[in-house]
Short mmCIF file of all heavy atoms in Angstrom, two decimals:
data_model
loop_
_atom_site.label_atom_id
_atom_site.label_comp_id
_atom_site.label_asym_id
_atom_site.label_seq_id
_atom_site.Cartn_x
_atom_site.Cartn_y
_atom_site.Cartn_z
N ILE A 520 27.71 -12.45 -10.05
CA ILE A 520 28.74 -11.62 -9.39
C ILE A 520 29.51 -12.54 -8.44
O ILE A 520 28.93 -13.13 -7.52
CB ILE A 520 28.08 -10.46 -8.59
CG1 ILE A 520 27.30 -9.55 -9.54
CG2 ILE A 520 29.14 -9.69 -7.79
CD1 ILE A 520 28.14 -8.74 -10.52
N LYS A 521 30.84 -12.66 -8.68
CA LYS A 521 31.65 -13.65 -7.96
C LYS A 521 31.56 -13.50 -6.45
O LYS A 521 31.57 -14.48 -5.70
CB LYS A 521 33.12 -13.53 -8.38
CG LYS A 521 33.43 -14.13 -9.77
CD LYS A 521 34.95 -14.42 -9.87
CE LYS A 521 35.29 -15.08 -11.19
NZ LYS A 521 35.20 -14.13 -12.34
N ASP A 522 31.45 -12.27 -5.95
CA ASP A 522 31.46 -12.06 -4.49
C ASP A 522 30.17 -12.53 -3.83
O ASP A 522 30.10 -12.61 -2.60
CB ASP A 522 31.67 -10.56 -4.18
CG ASP A 522 33.09 -10.13 -4.52
OD1 ASP A 522 33.97 -11.01 -4.64
OD2 ASP A 522 33.32 -8.92 -4.69
N VAL A 523 29.14 -12.80 -4.63
CA VAL A 523 27.86 -13.30 -4.07
C VAL A 523 27.70 -14.76 -4.48
O VAL A 523 27.56 -15.07 -5.66
CB VAL A 523 26.66 -12.46 -4.57
CG1 VAL A 523 25.35 -13.04 -4.02
CG2 VAL A 523 26.81 -11.00 -4.14
N LYS A 524 27.78 -15.63 -3.49
CA LYS A 524 27.72 -17.08 -3.79
C LYS A 524 26.27 -17.54 -3.99
O LYS A 524 25.36 -17.04 -3.31
CB LYS A 524 28.36 -17.88 -2.65
CG LYS A 524 29.80 -17.47 -2.32
CD LYS A 524 30.73 -17.64 -3.50
CE LYS A 524 32.14 -17.11 -3.20
NZ LYS A 524 32.71 -16.40 -4.39
N ASP A 525 26.08 -18.49 -4.90
CA ASP A 525 24.73 -19.01 -5.16
C ASP A 525 24.10 -19.57 -3.89
O ASP A 525 22.89 -19.49 -3.68
CB ASP A 525 24.78 -20.10 -6.23
CG ASP A 525 24.88 -19.49 -7.64
OD1 ASP A 525 24.76 -18.25 -7.73
OD2 ASP A 525 25.08 -20.24 -8.61
N GLY A 526 24.96 -20.11 -3.00
CA GLY A 526 24.43 -20.69 -1.76
C GLY A 526 23.71 -19.65 -0.91
O GLY A 526 22.79 -19.99 -0.16
N VAL A 527 24.09 -18.38 -1.06
CA VAL A 527 23.42 -17.29 -0.33
C VAL A 527 22.29 -16.73 -1.18
O VAL A 527 21.20 -16.45 -0.72
CB VAL A 527 24.44 -16.17 -0.01
CG1 VAL A 527 23.75 -14.91 0.49
CG2 VAL A 527 25.50 -16.67 0.97
N PHE A 528 22.58 -16.61 -2.46
CA PHE A 528 21.68 -15.90 -3.39
C PHE A 528 20.42 -16.70 -3.71
O PHE A 528 19.30 -16.21 -3.59
CB PHE A 528 22.47 -15.60 -4.67
CG PHE A 528 21.74 -14.75 -5.67
CD1 PHE A 528 21.47 -13.42 -5.41
CD2 PHE A 528 21.33 -15.29 -6.88
CE1 PHE A 528 20.80 -12.63 -6.33
CE2 PHE A 528 20.67 -14.51 -7.81
CZ PHE A 528 20.40 -13.17 -7.54
N GLU A 529 20.61 -17.96 -4.06
CA GLU A 529 19.48 -18.77 -4.55
C GLU A 529 18.36 -18.89 -3.54
O GLU A 529 17.19 -18.68 -3.87
CB GLU A 529 20.02 -20.15 -4.99
CG GLU A 529 19.08 -20.95 -5.87
CD GLU A 529 18.15 -21.83 -5.05
OE1 GLU A 529 18.52 -22.10 -3.89
OE2 GLU A 529 17.06 -22.18 -5.53
N PRO A 530 18.65 -19.17 -2.26
CA PRO A 530 17.55 -19.27 -1.28
C PRO A 530 16.75 -17.97 -1.15
O PRO A 530 15.53 -18.00 -0.95
CB PRO A 530 18.27 -19.60 0.03
CG PRO A 530 19.57 -20.20 -0.38
CD PRO A 530 19.94 -19.54 -1.65
N LEU A 531 17.43 -16.83 -1.31
CA LEU A 531 16.72 -15.54 -1.18
C LEU A 531 15.75 -15.37 -2.35
O LEU A 531 14.63 -14.89 -2.19
CB LEU A 531 17.73 -14.39 -1.15
CG LEU A 531 18.60 -14.30 0.10
CD1 LEU A 531 19.73 -13.30 -0.10
CD2 LEU A 531 17.76 -13.92 1.32
N VAL A 532 16.20 -15.79 -3.54
CA VAL A 532 15.32 -15.69 -4.71
C VAL A 532 14.17 -16.69 -4.56
O VAL A 532 13.01 -16.36 -4.74
CB VAL A 532 16.11 -15.94 -6.01
CG1 VAL A 532 15.18 -16.00 -7.21
CG2 VAL A 532 17.18 -14.86 -6.20
N ARG A 533 14.54 -17.88 -4.14
CA ARG A 533 13.50 -18.95 -4.01
C ARG A 533 12.47 -18.57 -2.95
O ARG A 533 11.29 -18.86 -3.11
CB ARG A 533 14.17 -20.28 -3.64
CG ARG A 533 13.24 -21.48 -3.72
CD ARG A 533 13.94 -22.83 -3.82
NE ARG A 533 15.29 -22.87 -3.28
CZ ARG A 533 15.57 -23.07 -1.98
NH1 ARG A 533 14.57 -23.21 -1.12
NH2 ARG A 533 16.82 -23.12 -1.55
N SER A 534 12.91 -17.84 -1.92
CA SER A 534 11.97 -17.49 -0.84
C SER A 534 10.97 -16.41 -1.30
O SER A 534 10.00 -16.11 -0.61
CB SER A 534 12.76 -16.93 0.35
OG SER A 534 13.24 -15.62 0.01
N GLY A 535 11.29 -15.76 -2.43
CA GLY A 535 10.39 -14.71 -2.92
C GLY A 535 10.74 -13.34 -2.36
O GLY A 535 10.12 -12.33 -2.71
N LYS A 536 11.78 -13.28 -1.53
CA LYS A 536 12.19 -11.98 -0.92
C LYS A 536 12.93 -11.12 -1.94
O LYS A 536 13.09 -9.92 -1.76
CB LYS A 536 13.13 -12.20 0.27
CG LYS A 536 12.50 -12.82 1.50
CD LYS A 536 11.43 -11.94 2.06
CE LYS A 536 11.95 -10.94 3.08
NZ LYS A 536 10.85 -10.14 3.66
N LEU A 537 13.45 -11.79 -2.99
CA LEU A 537 14.37 -11.09 -3.90
C LEU A 537 14.01 -11.45 -5.33
O LEU A 537 13.93 -12.64 -5.68
CB LEU A 537 15.79 -11.54 -3.57
CG LEU A 537 16.97 -10.91 -4.30
CD1 LEU A 537 16.98 -9.40 -4.11
CD2 LEU A 537 18.28 -11.51 -3.78
N ARG A 538 13.80 -10.47 -6.16
CA ARG A 538 13.45 -10.71 -7.56
C ARG A 538 13.99 -9.57 -8.40
O ARG A 538 14.38 -8.53 -7.88
CB ARG A 538 11.93 -10.79 -7.72
CG ARG A 538 11.29 -9.37 -7.59
CD ARG A 538 9.86 -9.40 -7.29
NE ARG A 538 9.58 -10.00 -6.00
CZ ARG A 538 9.73 -9.40 -4.82
NH1 ARG A 538 10.24 -8.18 -4.76
NH2 ARG A 538 9.42 -10.03 -3.71
N ALA A 539 13.99 -9.79 -9.71
CA ALA A 539 14.45 -8.73 -10.61
C ALA A 539 13.45 -8.56 -11.74
O ALA A 539 12.69 -9.49 -12.06
CB ALA A 539 15.82 -9.07 -11.19
N THR A 540 13.47 -7.35 -12.34
CA THR A 540 12.55 -7.10 -13.45
C THR A 540 13.12 -6.02 -14.35
O THR A 540 13.97 -5.23 -13.93
CB THR A 540 11.16 -6.66 -12.94
OG1 THR A 540 10.32 -6.42 -14.07
CG2 THR A 540 11.27 -5.37 -12.11
N THR A 541 12.65 -6.00 -15.60
CA THR A 541 13.00 -4.89 -16.50
C THR A 541 11.85 -3.88 -16.52
O THR A 541 11.93 -2.86 -17.19
CB THR A 541 13.22 -5.42 -17.94
OG1 THR A 541 12.03 -6.12 -18.34
CG2 THR A 541 14.42 -6.35 -18.01
#
Side-chain angles (χ1 to χ4, degrees):
I520 299 292
K521 284 201 177 72
D522 290 341
V523 177
K524 305 300 175 220
D525 281 352
V527 169
F528 186 68
E529 197 270 338
L531 291 169
V532 173
R533 190 161 24 85
S534 72
K536 290 298 271 183
L537 184 58
R538 73 199 64 78
T540 180
T541 56

